Structure formats: C-alpha cells, structure tokens
Amino acid sequence: MNVDQSLRTAVKQAAEALFGQPLSAIQLQPTNAEFEGSHTVVCFPLTKLSRKGPEETARLVGDYLVQHAGIVSRYNVVKGFLNLVLSDQVWVDVLRAIVANPNYGQLPDNGQEIMIEYSSPNTNKPLHLGHLRNNFLGWSVSEIYKNNGYTVRKVQIINDRGIHICKSMAAWKLYGDGETPQSTNMKGDHLVGKYYVEFDKAYKAQMAALITKGASEEEASKQAPIMQLASDMLRKWEQKDPDTVSLWQTMNGWVYEGFSATYARMGVDFDKLYYESDTYLLGRDEVLKGVEKGIFFKKDDGSVWVDLTADGLDQKVLLRSDGTSVYMTQDIGTAILRFRDFPKIMGQVYTVGNEQEYHFKVLFLILGKLGYEWAKQCFHLSYGMVDLPTGKMKSREGTVVDADELMQEMYEDAEKQSRELGKLDEMSHDEAKRLFEMVGLGALKFFLLKVDPKKRMMFDPQESIQLQGFTGPFVQYTHARIRSIIRKAEGMGLQVSAGDLNGVTALEPAEREALQVLSVFENKVQEAAREYAPSIIANYAYDLAKEYNKFYQNIPIFNETDTNKLKFRIALSQSIAKSIKRAMHMLGIEVPERM
RNA sequence: GGUCCGAUAGCUCAACUGGAUAGAGCAUCAGCCUUCUAAGCUGACGGUUCGGGGUUCGAGUCCCUGUCGGAUCACCA
C-alpha cells in the first residue's frame, strides 16, 4: 500500500465533497519536524475552491479526513498547512508490506531498454580523478535505471585513434628502448602515459629551440621533429602501414590491460565496448549520404559542413577538406551503430563532462536532421569538473590525481583508521582486507556521488578519507550494526515474517520516524532516475542510516519483553538494513556484515 | 563579444521543483560507553541564500538588472 497515494485520493474526495469541485493537483509534503504529523497538505491553493480563509479551509479538510479516511487519526493546522497524523496501524501496515516484498526498492520490469555510456577514455594515459567521477556516475545511473525496471546496456567508446595516441607511440619509439610493462613492472596504461609525458617534454624543448632560432610559435609547433614524427605516424596508421598498426596495437593492448585492472578495482563493467577506430568510417559514410540528401553541404575546398544557424548555433565542420573525420563524425557513426546493435533501446545517455555540452547539442540536432526519431531520446548526462584545493587538475602540470594511486591510498587509510579504532580483533586476515577495500572505496565513491552531478565539486583529500558524518563508511557502519542485531536475533531463534506483525498497535516516535523515512525509498529511486542523480540515493541512504541510529540509540531492542514489539523492531531493523544495502549497491558500494 | 552553467553557515554540500522559523556534515565547545558495535547519539555556536529591483497569499527557487567565478563558441578529441 502506498500511503502517499491513499492520502492524495482521500484529499481529492474531501475537496470534492466539501467544495463541490474537482481538484487537479494536491500539494503533499513531509511535515516539518517541529510540528506533529507526518504528511502536510498545503491548503493555500484550495482557498480558491473553498472561498474561505486558508486556516478554515484546512480545518474543514482535516475534519473530513478524520471522519472519512480511515488512515488519519488527527490533525493540526498552522497557517494554511494541514498537518496530518496517521494512525500507528497505518505504519504497521506499511512495514508489513515492506517485509512482504523481498524486492522493496526495486520497481517491476517496465519492458523498456536504455543505453548508458560512460568512461570513454583516451588510450594515451591512465585514468584520473575526473574519470572516477564519470565512471561512478555512469555505473550508478545504470543501476538506478535497473532498479526502475529498465533493461540497461552499459557501453563506452574508446578513443583509440588519433594524434594523442601517436604522441605516446612516437616518444616510445624514440626513447623507449624496448620497454614493456613486463620489463619495467609497470601497469601498461601508466607506461604509455609516461611516454605521453616524455613526448610533451621533448616537444616543448624542441619548440623552444626553434623559437630561439627565430621561428614563430606556430611554425615551431609544426616543425618540431617529434611532432612531425607523430603526424607521420597518424598518416601511416590511416594508410594501414603494418609496422605502425602493429605498434599501435601493442601499445593500446598495454593500455587495455591496465584499464581493466583499474575498472576491476573500481567495480565498474560494460556490456559492450565500442572503438573509435571501428566507427569513424561509418560516420563518414553517413555524412556523405547526408550530403547527397542535401542535409549537409560541401564547401569549395571539399570540407563538409552542417548549417545550424536556424537552430541558433553556428556552422559546424563534419569532414575535413582532406576527407578525414573529426570527433563529431565519429560520434554520429557510433550512435547509429549502437541503435543497430540494440534495436530495442529507446534512447541513450551520454555521461560526459559539461565542457562538451555544445558538442552534444550539435550531435543530437544532426542525428535529428538525419531523420533518426530516437535522437529525441538522447540525453547528455553532463557533470561538473572535479576541482582540487590547489586548483584545477592539469595533466601537463602534473596536478592530476591518479585513479590507481587514489584507490590504493583510500585502502591504506581505511586500514590505518580501522586499526586505530581497534575494530579488527575477531577478523581473519582475508576478511579484514575485504573490509579495507569496502570502506576505502566506499568512502571514495560516496564522496564523489553525494554531490549533485551537475555541479562542479571540490575534492579535498583530507575530507574524502573521513569516516564520520555524511560519508559512505557511516552508512556502512549502520548496516554492520543492524546485521549484528539480526545475528543476535537469529541466535535466539527469532525469525520474523510479515505475518508476525499483528500484535503491535502503538509505536514509539523513533520507530515511526524511521519507518517514515523507510517508506519513501521507492519514491527516491524514481526521483533519482528522473534526475539522473545518484546524489539523491546517497542523501537518502544517509538519512535512513541517520534515522536508524537515532532509533538504535533511543530504544534498546532486546530489553523489550513484549514479543510482538520485539519482532516489530527486528523486522524494522532488517528492512532498513536491506534497503541500505540496496541503496548503497545503486551507488556501487558494498556493505559489510561487521566493521 | 555571443551562448550556457554556477554563487547558500568559517569549509564541503542539502533544501521534495514556488511553501512554514533555510537543513546536514566537517571544524569549535559541552555532555553520553557495566545495557544490542562510541566509524555512534544529544546539545551549543554558526545565515542580509552575491548586490539591487519585480511578480504573489508566499521567493534560496520564477522574471529583469548588476558583480564575481567557470565552461564553450577549432578542418583538437
């Protein structure tokens, strides 16, 4: 039973009966903590129908609800706000329904399919903090959609082609001395990234030398030998020169090996990978077809453009004058290919930083112009940059926070803090290690996901390793506490099912309040999908844990001698633990049995 | 310069899409472990929601305007 729904219909009936007119929308909100009640009807909009003052209107509705709607036991009116107190029986029924539903928090299959893209790295350097926000967001939104009843296809596009990878290749060829991940004992992505940095160093030095010899900055940027080597490699790659392609394959292979280790530790995965090297030609074909159909136009130099001035944007290049693809071309091809591969998907979500908002605006417009209906169902999940206290992250200046290093630091810090707290007495070595991983990564993921994705956020390392307050470990700890209770109950032979929740008639305030928070879980799951916002789930998980801790602190469960009440409390605890676990899973965070 | 975001407690973030006296955490201070895990709980302190107008029963939220910060407007990706 859904309390909100019942209340809405009840208020609707009340309004019709009292004022003789149908009511389109009802404003129902949680009651402020300072007043008695759980639900509040905002009565100002009703005054137009009632032709009475807000307070009198509220009282009329309140009286009607107490008399006619079985679930409202009393009410109070503050200004135009009608605060409703539901009978405890209603709350017991709510818990009964939750206990009876093993999938509470997960909505039934809706038959719809959706594709979500995230990660999408370049293959010339390792993943960093920005990628972590991206991956955690994309993975979490996927889980949130699954919990809303969708079939989800998780994908990424790997930018494995282009000048950036040729830069690492050029530097390795010049200075690499045959180094491999095996010979250096380095992760492949880090090794390739090292040569990307080498390239930049050499490039800068060569440019400086040319400039002192009198070259302009632009000339120097093109004439630097190492850049010429990289450009040459790109040309050779496009001509499928065997040596170049082989080196490209080898170095990309190193990167993929490194990435898969990073993804494994991050706990993210994909249903299908797309490679730019496979899709850019399709994109070019589609663009050429568009030229034939008159959707795009060709300039005298042979370059192909789309005119978006009618949509308030500019003209945009789609093929260079030499016929090669640009970023946009590749994305057009990828999008089309994906809808061919997965014909049932209704739309696509692109998890990409907000610096690319313009790009996606243009992409979706172009796909629409090409006649693809699904273009309307494409959504750019645009998220803000992650800032450091020292300022913006810049790979060139070495101020990036490396993903692998950060995860390892979080692990070590979780270990250190756990030891200081003396939490490990009864734990095996393996269990302890799993716990550090859970807590370290949980802290990191929660920290990155608790903020509204749209907003730029600050990553303070000191704050991210906090285990107290509004953090992942706080929620994990609450779960472990509840599990401890459940174990004790099971040890006493107490198993609780929905049918056992009869004999309770009066609730403690702390019980009612915890139950109230528990009861809105599915609303939050829906809201999170609608907003593409894991932060809604993170905030909810925190609220739920916080509310449980209040209950835990106030009411000693096992002091209760009335078996009915005892069972009620255990059922409530159990349900909250399960909901915490499910909510945290939607964030990609595991919860421990003890900590 | 055009367009698009953002600005809320000392710091990091909320605020159910226009509702009540704007809430959490961190930090600071004061309490609570012989009772289910103190990674917890309870209190105190902390606000001209960037400034100025407007809309209405009601504005952090909507409109106008100014200030500050950021992104973007490439034959880069």
Side-chain angles (χ1 to χ4, degrees), chain A residues 337-350:
Chain A
L337 185 59
R338 284 174 177 169
F339 278 93
R340 283 186 197 158
D341 288 349
F342 297 93
K344 284 196 282 187
I345 54 174
M346 48 171 276
Q348 265 198 74
V349 177
Y350 291 86

Side-chain angles (χ1 to χ4, degrees), chain A residues 407-424 432-433 435-437 439-440 461-462 465-468:
Chain A
M407 287 191 284
Q408 184 56 25
E409 276 165 29
M410 297 298 292
Y411 173 94
E412 283 163 13
D413 207 79
E415 173 167 16
K416 185 170 154 252
Q417 298 202 44
S418 298
R419 291 198 191 286
E420 278 167 10
L421 289 167
K423 292 281 183 176
L424 304 170
K433 274 174 74 175
L435 180 65
F436 305 149
E437 191 72 21
V439 171
Q462 295 301 314
I465 56 178
Q466 285 277 351
L467 310 181
Q468 295 96 13

